[in-house]
Amino acid sequence: MPERFKLALRMADAVISDPSGLTGADQEALSEEFTPAELAELALTVAMAAGFSKAAIAWGPPPVIPVTEVPTPTPTGTVG
């Protein structure tokens, strides 16, 4: 896995669990690899995904939706 991806995952883990968990070396590596705009986008994307995930859990599963079966015509013109 490329180092860029590993750094992004470390940052994502920190955003989700413990923002103070990034070491100085991690912060330096992130600033060397990503632009400030990329870091902001990564942090906001992770934070929004985590927020939507928590909201989905709070709302619970979707209601049961009835299944509609549509007959499929065959090449001979009959419906099977």
Side-chain angles (χ1 to χ4, degrees), residues 4 7 13 17 21 41 57 71 74 77:
R4 182 177 175 91
L7 284 169
D13 285 341
S17 60
E41 183 176 356
I57 291 168
T74 64

Side-chain angles (χ1 to χ4, degrees), residues 44-64:
L44 289 172
T45 300
V46 170
M48 286 181 62
F52 282 125
S53 174
K54 290 183 185 304
I57 291 168
W59 291 327
V64 176

Side-chain angles (χ1 to χ4, degrees), residues 9-69:
L9 287 173
R10 264 188 248 137
M11 181 177 171
D13 285 341
V15 168
I16 292 170
S17 60
D18 180 19
S20 64
L22 282 176
T23 65
D26 286 338
Q27 292 175 4
E28 186 177 325
L30 282 163
S31 65
E32 289 174 3
E33 184 66 37
F34 297 98
T35 66
E38 289 173 328
L39 289 171
E41 183 176 356
L42 178 59
L44 289 172
T45 300
V46 170
M48 286 181 62
F52 282 125
S53 174
K54 290 183 185 304
I57 291 168
W59 291 327
V64 176
I65 299 173
V67 176
T68 302
E69 291 186 28

